[in-house]
Amino acid sequence: MAAFDNPAFDNHERVVFCSDEASGLKAIIAIHSTALGPAAGGCRLWGYDSDDAALTDALRLSQGMSYKNALAGLKFGGGKAVIIKDGDFGGSELLYEKFGEFVEQLNGDYVTAEDVGMTVDIMQTIARRTKHVSGLPKKGGHAGGDPSPKTSWGIFKGIEAAVRFKLGRDSVDGLTVAIQGAGHVGYYLSKYLSSAGAQIIIADLDEQRARRICDEFGAKAAGLDEILYQPVDVLAPCALGAILTEDSIPRLRTQIVAGGANNQLAFDADGQRLVDAGILYAPDYVINGGGIINVSCEYYGDVDDDEVLAQVAAIGPRLTGIFEAAEANGKPTNEIADTMAKEIIATATASPD
Ligand code: NAD
């Protein structure tokens, strides 16, 4: 497993391989940048096809966190952890405590929180061994807890901004949105969209999760192979990454892609493919920044929920600015967002204080 030669390696500051035989823990913590502050980003629990695939995911996700945190104006650099869920994965309390010990050894250079496969309960177990963890149960009206409702609120505000820009409509009322993934983010997004009058089409590997959204919000279920290709106004990917590809983009039947999954583009060039297909793309790390805004408010102090929601709602106007700049410059939205994020990080690197 060659880290420096991995195509996803982007001068990451540190990559830590964590192993504990007794608990079966195998994890990778990738710190992309600490130029803006401690490298913050969730921990993903997933069954990878290979250790290389896990490393690639950690490298790509942590780079995305640097850009996400920079554009959200947070005092966080970018990092991410993956815990490898292999065949005989036990998921014991000991395993999560060990992971907490590895996080603690980084002395605050990495701050962890929930990502795919994680829960608030697991974060509490990790917190027995490190203070560098967020996403813990909140106290009376303050920032904290499961970040996904805030992530989904930001995505909802981002979808509204995209709908206004692309379709000239002030609301999602009467529109149809296909959501891939009925997990934490997909669930809350379905809730906000359906209360605003949108019709939902949903699919998840876990049929029970999809069924819950059908039952609670009147959504229609679609097959796993069909969800991306539904004739809809908005496609909201809320599962895993690399679903927008040379193969999938020509088959999409939507005007807008705006969802919560990280790393939706398989390659940067897929941003231009979306432009060529006449589809407006809301860069993933901009639209899904609500959760990390919540994490930042929790980690740095005493911020109440209303203030968190106000910061998350700013995702809408931020995206509109990116859409306008992309149109004015004839460039894809992902390229505009990347350039903005890199400039913020370069400025902080040039003049650290
Ligand atoms: P989750 O683990 O709660 O849910 C993910 C869901 O996706 C699961 O139900 C899983 O079965 C489903 N899934 C996986 N592959 C699928 C496929 N091919 N088709 C259909 N369903 C599939 O995770 P989550 O917290 O909801 O996160 C979803 C996405 O949003 C991830 O990419 C995550 O990195 C991103 N994200 C999450 C947050 C957050 O606050 N939780 C913040 C920012 C970004």
Side-chain angles (χ1 to χ4, degrees):
M1 187 168 36
F4 294 126
D5 292 337
N6 188 305
F9 181 73
D10 177 48
N11 287 313
H12 286 67
E13 288 178 18
R14 222 180 312 173
V15 181
V16 183
F17 294 85
C18 314
S19 154
D20 177 65
E21 201 175 3
S23 63
L25 174 71
K26 281 189 216 156
I28 302 171
I29 301 173
I31 295 179
H32 176 254
S33 166
T34 54
L36 294 169
C43 175
R44 177 170 291 191
L45 173 64
W46 194 249
Y48 292 95
D49 290 341
S50 66
D51 293 350
D52 270 327
L55 174 63
T56 300
D57 211 24
L59 292 173
R60 287 194 79 202
L61 288 165
S62 57
Q63 181 198 41
M65 287 310 301
S66 288
Y67 294 180
K68 183 186 303 194
N69 295 337
L71 279 193
L74 304 178
K75 287 187 279 179
F76 274 155
K80 200 88 181 182
V82 299
I83 295 181
I84 298 169
K85 194 175 177 185
D86 52 18
D88 49 3
F89 181 80
S92 62
E93 292 198 1
L94 179 65
L95 182 145
Y96 294 118
E97 285 181 2
K98 282 286 167 193
F99 176 73
E101 284 174 20
F102 281 107
V103 172
E104 185 61 21
Q105 283 169 17
L106 294 169
N107 290 321
D109 280 349
Y110 170 64
V111 179
T112 199
E114 290 91 343
D115 190 59
V116 171
M118 284 286 155
T119 62
V120 172
D121 283 350
I122 296 176
M123 287 302 134
Q124 286 182 283
T125 309
I126 293 169
R128 290 179 198 157
R129 293 288 183 267
T130 181
K131 54 190 172 300
H132 304 296
V133 51
S134 272
L136 299 170
K138 63 163 94 180
K139 298 168 207 99
H142 286 246
D146 173 10
S148 55
K150 299 295 189 312
T151 301
S152 304
W153 182 245
I155 298 164
F156 175 67
K157 299 314 276 178
I159 289 176
E160 283 187 330
V163 159
R164 204 169 296 122
F165 188 83
K166 181 77 177 172
L167 309 179
R169 296 179 62 139
D170 280 335
S171 118
V172 297
D173 191 13
L175 299 184
T176 304
V177 182
I179 303 180
Q180 182 190 43
H184 290 87
V185 172
Y187 175 82
Y188 288 107
L189 181 60
S190 302
K191 181 174 179 173
Y192 301 141
L193 285 168
S194 71
S195 342
Q199 173 66 47
I200 313 292
I201 306 177
I202 189 83
D204 196 293
L205 293 172
D206 181 335
E207 275 182 30
Q208 273 187 329
R209 286 184 167 187
R211 201 171 313 124
R212 180 180 175 204
I213 289 178
C214 295
D215 292 346
E216 289 188 28
F217 309 123
K220 290 184 201 153
L224 290 174
D225 296 337
E226 298 161 3
I227 188 70
L228 297 179
Y229 311 114
Q230 298 294 308
V232 291
D233 301 293
V234 181
L235 169 65
C238 294
L240 298 186
I243 41 97
L244 300 171
T245 66
E246 193 175 0
D247 173 59
S248 68
I249 290 169
R251 299 160 63 204
L252 299 181
R253 292 195 285 164
T254 182
Q255 299 207 59
I256 294 168
V257 176
N262 281 307
N263 295 336
Q264 292 170 34
L265 303 175
F267 297 100
D268 288 346
D270 293 313
Q272 183 61 47
R273 286 196 180 93
L274 287 165
V275 175
D276 296 343
I279 297 170
L280 178 68
Y281 172 61
D284 46 20
Y285 60 77
V286 183
I287 195 170
N288 72 14
I292 198 73
I293 291 170
N294 191 55
V295 162
S296 167
C297 292
E298 176 184 351
Y299 191 70
Y300 285 116
D302 209 18
V303 179
D304 70 30
D305 230 20
D306 290 344
E307 170 58 22
V308 180
L309 284 173
Q311 287 188 33
V312 173
I315 287 173
R318 191 171 299 134
L319 277 170
T320 303
I322 291 169
F323 299 152
E324 287 170 351
E327 194 171 68
N329 293 288
K331 292 196 167 154
T333 52
N334 59 306
E335 207 177 306
I336 297 289
D338 285 2
T339 304
M340 288 167 70
K342 284 180 194 169
E343 278 172 10
I344 295 167
I345 296 165
T347 305
T349 308
S351 50
D353 49 23

